[in-house]
Every structure is written in structure tokens, then in C-alpha cells.
Amino acid sequence: MSAVLNPSVGDELPRLVIEAVDAGKMKTMAALLGDSNPIHWDVDTVRELGMGDQPVNQGPNNLGYVMNMLGDWAGGAERIQNIRVRFVDNVFAGDRLEAGGTVTAIGDDGTVECDVWLARDGTHPVLAGKTTVSLA
Amino acid sequence: MTSATQTPTIEELESLVGRQFPGGTYAVEPWRVWLTNDVIGAPQRTDGIAHPMFCYYAAMAGFGISIDEMFTLCYASADDGPMFGECDIQQMRPLKIGATYTVRGKITSAVRKQGERTGTFDIVAFQLEVVAPDGEVSSVVSNSFIFPRRS
């Protein structure tokens, strides 16, 4: 059952807030993915590369937050038919993130198109894209 | 650290289009789903449906070569500073926890661009299909990499 009965073009999707990205979970994901890139778990490497002093979150994690926001709104992430995104900046451990979106079109078949985004502190974009979600 | 890779000719670059990946399989294992949901803050579902990020994980883990091998195929290495371009995920049918999917795919485009600040770079796009045990395509994942090239 969809949580949304009657969306309109221009509606803002309810935002999802991640209060602080967890460095420990980056380590778990690195192990799950077999991701050998040390920027996700070795602060010394991040410093040597001049990228700051916190581990860098995996890009798929950032996309996962946006999918969670869509799933909360639409009544389940399986309702996401398509999502196309660009990763425009890094997310670091400790960052506060907000995921959100705006309804841009409504189809006759029960699908809804939205612009979606993920932003540090709700203002600095780190991911941007478009999605089609089924509310039928 | 190895030296940067020699820039391919346009002909070499364009010859990549249509190149098939070896392909492989990916099992959506329950323990992996639980840990992934925990990492990204998704609910632990009891209906057997995997988070849509598993479309991406299945495609990237099952297409038959590593990311480093993909870079080599594209006349590059990690030392050249390749960047992830766009990611497009179509979810036709949610992936099911416990099922094993077949992954197949190919390179769909390879183009050279010139930026004022960035100089020469190539964009190589590839498409991966995640196929369910019944033969139906459950998901199509399209990604691109951006390869900076020496002038």
C-alpha cells in the first residue's frame, strides 16, 4: 500500500535525515564489497591524499540513503522502477545528510517522476538524479 | 604506484563498444542482505525482498571482471584517476533473498571529450543485466567511467 495517495507536481518528498555517517559501517561495507580502496577505512591514507581527515563513504551507500527516502514515501523501495544519479561530491564520516526530492511528473499508469538529491547539511549537494516510482 | 597508461587512439577507444563481459552469477545471501541493510539504514524485511541496491551489487559483483580489469580493458589504471560517471538502475522485479542471479553485459559506448579545464577525457559506458533463475531480466544497471587522458 502506498503511503501517498495523491501526489501533485511540485510536491516535496519527506526528507530522510542521516544525523552522522558512521565510519564503522564504511568498514563493514568495504568488507561486504571486497572494496580494497583504503579511503573508506584508513584515515592516514585519506590525509596523505589531501582529502581531509575522515574516511570517505562508499558512493553506493549514498545512493542507498536516497532509495530509503523513496521507499519511506512510496510504501516500499521495491516501487522504485528506475533511478539515475550522478555522484557530485564525497561524503565523509560524521557528515549530516539529508535526502529529498520533488515530484516533477505524474503518469497515467500510476508512476511518478521525481528529481532526487542528497545533500550535506541539507545544502551542499553530493548526489543528484531522477527517478520513476510506481504508486499503482 | 605505476605510471599513467598510454592514451588509446580513437580507433582503439571505439573498438571497445560491443565488447562482452565474461559474466557470472551472484547469490543474494541473507547474511549479506542483513548487513547491507544495517549499513545503509534500511529496514530488515521479512517478505524475502532485497533492497534495490542489490540490483547494483549483483551487477557489479557478477559481471565477470574486477574494476581494475575494467580499467585495464579501457586502457587505464587506478593511477590515472578514473571517476565514476552516472549510475542508472532499472528494477523490473525486486531481487529475492536467497536466489542466485546470472549477470551478463557489454560496453555500450566509448567517446572522447575535451574540457577547457579538464583536458582530454574518455567516457566509457557499460550495461549489465541481472537475470533471474526463470530467465527473466530483473534489473538493468548502466554505469559509466570517466578516464582522464594525457594530451
Side-chain angles (χ1 to χ4, degrees):
Chain A
M1 174 76 71
S2 167
V4 181
L5 297 177
N6 235 342
S8 301
V9 172
D11 281 358
E12 295 287 324
L13 309 188
R15 294 189 181 188
L16 175 71
V17 176
I18 297 93
E19 288 295 348
V21 176
D22 186 337
K25 291 185 173 177
M26 293 182 201
K27 296 177 185 174
T28 302
M29 185 55 80
L32 281 169
L33 298 178
D35 185 347
S36 62
N37 191 336
I39 64 171
H40 303 307
W41 36 268
D42 183 357
V43 173
D44 289 341
T45 296
V46 177
R47 289 194 183 106
E48 286 171 13
L49 292 171
M51 299 176 71
D53 57 6
Q54 293 291 337
V56 180
N57 204 21
Q58 287 92 351
N61 293 356
N62 301 333
L63 177 53
Y65 306 146
V66 173
M67 287 176 165
N68 292 345
M69 178 274 297
L70 288 168
D72 288 349
W73 171 68
E78 70 275 18
R79 293 179 176 274
I80 300 170
Q81 292 186 340
N82 176 256
I83 187 165
R84 183 181 186 88
V85 301
R86 287 181 300 115
F87 300 94
V88 296
D89 205 352
N90 288 324
V91 167
F92 298 92
D95 281 355
R96 180 184 184 278
L97 301 175
E98 290 186 22
T102 306
V103 175
T104 56
I106 297 174
D108 295 333
D109 57 354
T111 59
V112 178
E113 294 179 23
C114 306
D115 288 340
V116 292
W117 50 264
L118 182 70
R120 186 183 305 127
D121 294 324
T123 57
H124 181 89
V126 295
L127 178 153
K130 296 180 180 298
T131 189
T132 303
V133 176
S134 173
L135 299 184
Chain B
M1 180 171 286
T2 59
S3 59
T5 313
Q6 183 68 38
T7 298
T9 65
I10 288 290
E11 290 74 21
E12 288 172 327
L13 179 69
E14 291 177 345
S15 73
L16 293 172
V17 178
R19 187 78 61 93
Q20 301 272 347
F21 299 120
T25 59
Y26 181 87
V28 184
E29 297 173 273
W31 65 270
R32 198 180 292 275
V33 172
W34 196 99
L35 286 172
T36 299
N37 288 339
D38 186 63
V39 166
I40 62 178
Q44 302 291 355
R45 300 177 62 148
T46 57
D47 56 6
I49 291 178
H51 193 278
M53 276 310 300
F54 275 88
C55 298
Y56 174 86
Y57 298 136
M60 296 301 287
F63 79 114
I65 62 173
S66 69
I67 293 301
D68 283 341
E69 289 169 329
M70 177 70 181
F71 293 163
T72 301
L73 183 66
C74 297
Y75 304 94
S77 76
D79 296 332
D80 296 318
M83 293 168 285
F84 207 76
E86 287 192 333
C87 176
D88 183 300
I89 298 171
Q90 292 180 60
Q91 181 180 228
M92 286 80 132
R93 296 193 305 179
L95 271 55
K96 292 183 178 173
I97 300 169
T100 298
Y101 292 81
T102 301
V103 181
R104 62 192 181 204
K106 63 182 179 183
I107 293 177
T108 52
S109 73
V111 295
R112 178 151 298 163
K113 302 266 190 180
Q114 186 75 35
E116 268 187 34
R117 286 182 302 167
T118 55
T120 303
F121 60 95
D122 295 338
I123 302 175
V124 179
F126 56 107
Q127 187 175 78
L128 307 169
E129 292 182 333
V130 180
V131 184
D134 64 4
E136 293 291 318
V137 176
S138 293
S139 176
V140 178
V141 176
S142 304
N143 292 318
S144 62
F145 282 109
I146 301 167
F147 297 102
R149 304 296 193 188
R150 292 177 296 173
S151 302

